[in-house]
Amino acid sequence: MKNMCKERLFTTLLILIVCSFLAGCQINAASNPSEEKKSDTGNEDVSMEKLTNEDKVVTINGMVYTYADLKFFELMSKVEIELNRLQGQQSLTGKELEDKLKYWDEQIKYHDNYNVNLSKLIEQNSMYLLAEEKGLKVDEQVLQKKIDDFTQKVDQAELAKKLIEASSSDQYNSQLNTYFEQRVLTEEIYNILKEDVKKENPDAAEQEISYLTDKKYEELYMSQMESLNLTIETP
């Protein structure tokens, strides 16, 4: 999926999260009005000093996700950034490489943000639920290839390996398959939308196809969000 679409979705979700904190820290559920609520701008991260791996961060249709789950999404995002960094260092030079290195450094810092990682967790798990509702299934060979390709790339990227080695190996190994299963189905939803856009706009250029697909995906995602019973916990 395109980065532009992702950035719009994260921005939208950050706004939703902020609003949910101000309104009582949840969407489509009642909250304890006596609890003190904290707000976040999306640029300032919430305090995580007292959080433990077992602390709940969000509940989606009855499924509880903890701070450990959130940290896993942070890890996977940062690992992907380091894989992109390595690929860029092998193919770019000069000012273009310099600019990209600065961008990747900024992205690493960006994913230190609690709400950014929460946005990614919510999006992937929500769209996975939609895929299940639509009867989409994961091709086991496709899934295994995705994991094998990822593992192979990590083995060649020192910074990515260090990030993984610094995390909980048990958690990483136990969540990797589920993470990629969700990701494969989320990407399949996007690809289905893209094929629909191509049929509806047979003469459109690739850039327009991407823009229209991003728009459809965002609309579908926001519709899915509205249909879920989603509770965001106060960190």
Side-chain angles (χ1 to χ4, degrees), residues 60 122-130 221 224-225 228:
I60 305 174
I122 292 173
E123 183 211 346
Q124 184 158 303
N125 283 279
S126 297
M127 296 307 281
Y128 174 69
L129 288 176
L130 179 61
Y221 177 51
Q224 172 69 352
M225 284 284 289
L228 296 174

Side-chain angles (χ1 to χ4, degrees), residues 19-61:
C19 291
S20 71
F21 283 151
L22 295 175
C25 288
Q26 56 184 15
I27 301 171
N28 294 336
S31 165
N32 183 347
S34 65
E35 291 183 0
E36 180 182 357
K37 308 303 177 184
K38 298 179 182 179
S39 64
D40 187 83
T41 64
N43 293 321
E44 298 177 1
D45 203 8
V46 299
S47 175
M48 296 178 285
E49 294 178 358
K50 297 181 180 180
L51 289 176
T52 68
N53 285 340
E54 292 74 29
D55 286 333
K56 294 191 293 184
V57 295
V58 65
T59 303
I60 305 174
N61 280 11

Side-chain angles (χ1 to χ4, degrees), residues 109-127:
K109 292 180 181 178
Y110 179 66
H111 285 88
D112 286 333
N113 186 287
Y114 180 97
N115 284 340
V116 168
N117 299 313
L118 181 58
S119 297
K120 287 199 168 188
L121 184 155
I122 292 173
E123 183 211 346
Q124 184 158 303
N125 283 279
S126 297
M127 296 307 281

